[in-house]
Amino acid sequence: MKKIITLLLALVLLAMCASADTLAAPEGYLGNTMPDFTVTTIDGETFALKDALKTHKAVMVNLWATWCGPCEMEFPYIEEAYEAYKDDVAIIALSVEPEDSDGILSEYAASHGLTFPVANGWNTGLYEKFVDKGIPTTVMVDRFGNVVLIEVGAQSSAVPFTATFDLLISDAYTETTVLDGFAKEKPNVEGGSEELLAGILGLDVESSKDEYAWPFVPANDDGKNCVVSSNAGKDDTKAELLVYADAKAGDVFSFSLRTSTETYCDLLVVSLNGTPVKYFSGEKDWMSYAIRLEEGENEISLAYVKDFDVGFGEDSVYLDDFELLSGDEAEQALSLNPVYTYAEETAIVILSDEARRVEFLNENGEQFDFTGTLGYNASFYVADDISVSYTATLSEGVDPELVYVISDYDMVPHSAYEVMNGAALTTGVDTMDLTGYPESAIMIIDNGISFPIAMTVVFADEANVEAFMDMVIAQTGAELHYSYLDEGEDEGIISFEGADGKVKYYATFVDQYGDPVPGCVINFCTDTACTPVFSDASGLAEFEGEPYPYHVQVIRVPAGYEFDTRQEFTLGENGDVLALLVTKN
């Protein structure tokens, strides 16, 4: 299948953080009778659902294909679960690829050491009923013959299977219970008493109300008495502490933390009254953080939430120094929080001088809606090269701890902090001749939703734009054409009028010889946010924002040039032009 058709699924399956519930599955059968089916396995045996339910307490149906990499990834864990539970749980792996013959399946099963039943299930009708977003899709059927779980995506350990099997084969399972995901492993660690933890932390704390939540336990971190999460190495789990505070107006909750976790993925989630307000991950030495409380009773949750992937570092979060602060102490604590350089919008910014932006229009001359093919509307550029340089900006409200920037050309994630500091990144660009794909997508991924919050699609040249259009037309049947956004624009005329009441501001960069200087980075700042803008091939940096006397400062010039970046300028409130001289060495 072409990349433009499968991009959204690829993002989920190849995302840096694996989640068990990143894709929704069809719900029509949940809680209802599983359609009966009968297949002949690669061993020549007959597998019928109704017969399997007579001899087992549950049945697991895995829908897959031999070409599916994530399916291959999870088979060792299915095999491990099967060996441990085959007397109580029947497992059948049904390929949904029509070309997966018995010979192909037999060779595959032998080479992968699969001992559970395998068959081609294309003619069972289960693909049409259950495969909505992708494969592997796992369907769990309880002893009463009802569907209790439909899960899309590969599992990275046997625990999701075995924990779910334990639930379904238990004597306590007496009626159909629909699950919102694979069952989790229950904690096997005893936490410290609430009195002991309060003595360490400084405020009264309570254990989580979730029976699957792991405790925080007393620890000593390089001489510091503190508490540490106890779920290291446990996939898809959380360790949680609860703090209750009766706050006055202006009060804050302050605490200290140290993290050694998988960046972007295994997260310390701080929630206030059920709403996440801050995330932390990666390798962070001891630091403080404070959150403003609501007047009255507050519930503060500090939860180390792990995904389905491997752990990094110590795979742990340490906490200490809980305080409820008021007045000047509260304001001082808030002032120590990290400060981020936010921009007006969350966007990918293409830096390559020769890149030109294009738009795709339908037969009515309206912008084409790409949500059905890309899963997201994007901006589009022709790079005139097989590589492109870019950066990104984040708007206020996007937590840089939770997002990363990535190109589907190389799938290498980049920290949001890199781009917030103006780092220039580079990616290759796919072409039909070199890779068989006409485009590359650069995305800002929010791991809270496992979905792009900004996307830019880049083409190496116009031939690949045409190939991309042909694919979209073949898939959608739409009439489609493209044009460059700068076609027909008047040159040499400066307009301060922007869209929706916004105003345009300009900075021009030239050297001492009068030549334009591209690649300069200049910040347009209000009192609360800054937007970095890069000068183009003509030395022009253009910014569009709400009318405001912006504070302007050059933060970087290209190698081989000099500029005093300590200088600050103020622009006119209703649009302005700033001419800047950059010295060439």
Side-chain angles (χ1 to χ4, degrees), residues 172-187:
Y173 190 87
T174 58
E175 61 181 3
T176 293
T177 303
V178 173
L179 308 177
D180 60 2
F182 281 109
K184 296 178 172 60
E185 182 180 3
K186 287 191 175 181

Side-chain angles (χ1 to χ4, degrees), residues 43 61 76 226 358 376 421 479 533 549:
D43 297 324
V61 181
C226 55
V358 298
Y376 193 89
N421 291 326
E479 293 185 26
V533 179

